[in-house]
Amino acid sequence: MAENGTDCDQRRIRMSKEQHNGNFTDSSMLSERKRREREERLNIVLWKKPLVTLQYFCLETLINLKEWTTKLWRRRGVLVCVLLALAALTALYYIEGTHQQYVRYMEKKFFWCAYWVGLGILSSVGLGTGLHTFLLYLGPHIASVTLAAYECNSVNFPEPPYPDQIICPDQETAEGSISLWAIISKVRLEACMWGAGTAIGELPPYFMARAARLSGAEPDDEEYQEFEEMLEHAETAQDFASRAKLAVQNLVQKVGFFGILACASIPNPLFDLAGITCGHFLVPFWTFFGATLIGKAVIKMHIQKLFVIITFSKHIVEQMVALIGAIPSIGPSLQKPFQEYLEAQRIKLHHKSDGAVPQGENWLSWIFEKLVIAMVCYFILSIINSMAQSYAKRLQQKMYSEEKTK
């Protein structure tokens, strides 16, 4: 009897090992297949497979339009209310009356705020790669206001043409009367709107992870899959990147609101992980979004504003130009275009509407304009590539489902 019992135990252990080995083999094959499919998708880019990429992009666009149309139809009651509100606002906009001055003022503020919120969303949500709109738009705007404020000794720029063009006001002000706080206040609205846009752009990872946790389904997102793998191998993580991600995840999970606030208040390339962590652990929406909004639109934006304003203050800029001129051999030739650019900006600031507009273009502004165009083009190309790869993933998942049903 003992021998029979021992034989049964041995057979059970052997069967358990075989089952474990089979599961391990299946898991390895699945991981290898996912790796292969990921490499295939990454090769679907415009500079390698232009026709396939454009075809997949168009098909993915049509699928997304169909999905959005279906969602709007399901919420047709809300859609009708929105359309009625828009019709009422349109009528109010075109009907003449004493209210038109307030309508024009609200229109100007609305489009100004929407412009910066949109740039903030583009910088954060990325759609495959983030467009660095702070470096390309908000930072230069704050720098222009700072330089103009020190040159004009005022921030009361005439409106119009401000913010499209900055010129000094007619009234003379005493030199040195401009303060750091006055410049901060002048650019506060656009900076906070940009920060609010970046906070809105952090919502997709949160909602994706939250929906995946509640439904129990595997999400169609590689970052979330990497997050789950990171949780599984948390104890064996050795490299710096993995430890940094785990630190963010632990901070958000254990500290809650103030942990999210701390991550959102500093420039943090790993903040997407904070959104995924909050969604995965079902952190309430207003806890996550409230902390993110305060951190990005208030704390972080004031830090970034102070940095730009101090960097482009009059004495710092003059010292930087002087240091460039002190470089041996090439210093004077490098210093000249910077001096010409600053002098051209001073002339523009003191330009009056009845005078002649100074003509000519500095090569620094020309390079910056071309850099902006290049980065916007790259951003558009990355969207096309990302959507084409999304469609390729749909095809791979469809093929895998068909294989499982056979």
Side-chain angles (χ1 to χ4, degrees), residues 38-56 381 384-385 388-389:
R38 189 181 296 115
E39 289 177 356
E40 289 176 3
R41 290 198 303 273
L42 291 176
N43 285 324
I44 302 176
V45 289
L46 281 168
W47 45 90
K48 289 184 179 180
K49 300 178 180 179
L51 295 178
V52 174
T53 303
L54 289 173
Q55 180 188 1
Y56 283 8
L381 291 177
I384 295 173
N385 292 336
Q389 290 167 9

Side-chain angles (χ1 to χ4, degrees), residues 146-164:
T146 303
L147 292 171
Y150 281 106
E151 178 64 27
C152 304
N153 294 309
S154 173
V155 292
N156 299 319
F157 310 123
E159 298 185 32
Y162 182 83
D164 299 323

Side-chain angles (χ1 to χ4, degrees), residues 104-168:
R104 301 302 177 192
Y105 175 81
M106 293 301 296
E107 177 192 16
K108 182 180 177 181
K109 288 296 181 184
F110 172 78
F111 283 111
W112 183 242
C113 292
Y115 172 75
W116 290 111
V117 170
L119 287 177
I121 293 172
L122 285 176
S123 183
S124 185
V125 74
L127 294 175
T129 181
L131 181 65
H132 301 288
T133 52
F134 182 86
L135 295 176
L136 295 178
Y137 296 98
L138 183 58
H141 173 71
I142 297 174
S144 299
V145 172
T146 303
L147 292 171
Y150 281 106
E151 178 64 27
C152 304
N153 294 309
S154 173
V155 292
N156 299 319
F157 310 123
E159 298 185 32
Y162 182 83
D164 299 323
Q165 181 186 358
I166 304 177
I167 59 174
C168 292

Side-chain angles (χ1 to χ4, degrees), residues 30 34 38 208-237 245-246 249 272-273 276-277 279-281:
L30 184 60
K34 285 183 177 180
R38 189 181 296 115
M208 176 271 301
R210 184 180 178 87
R213 181 67 184 273
L214 291 173
S215 64
E218 183 180 353
D220 183 20
D221 188 87
E222 291 177 3
E223 286 188 357
Y224 185 77
Q225 292 169 5
E226 290 176 4
F227 169 75
E228 288 192 324
E229 290 176 4
M230 184 191 71
L231 292 181
E232 291 175 4
H233 303 94
E235 297 180 358
T236 59
K245 290 178 180 179
L246 282 171
Q249 184 256 327
D272 276 352
L273 187 65
I276 293 174
T277 301
H280 180 79
F281 292 104

Side-chain angles (χ1 to χ4, degrees), residues 168-228:
C168 292
D170 293 330
Q171 63 270 23
E172 297 290 335
T173 52
E175 188 171 349
S177 60
I178 193 67
S179 66
L180 185 68
W181 182 253
I183 302 173
I184 290 174
S185 301
K186 186 67 176 178
V187 295
R188 180 178 291 119
L189 177 63
E190 46 265 48
C192 289
M193 290 299 103
W194 185 88
T198 61
I200 294 170
E202 299 293 350
L203 292 179
Y206 169 83
F207 284 124
M208 176 271 301
R210 184 180 178 87
R213 181 67 184 273
L214 291 173
S215 64
E218 183 180 353
D220 183 20
D221 188 87
E222 291 177 3
E223 286 188 357
Y224 185 77
Q225 292 169 5
E226 290 176 4
F227 169 75
E228 288 192 324

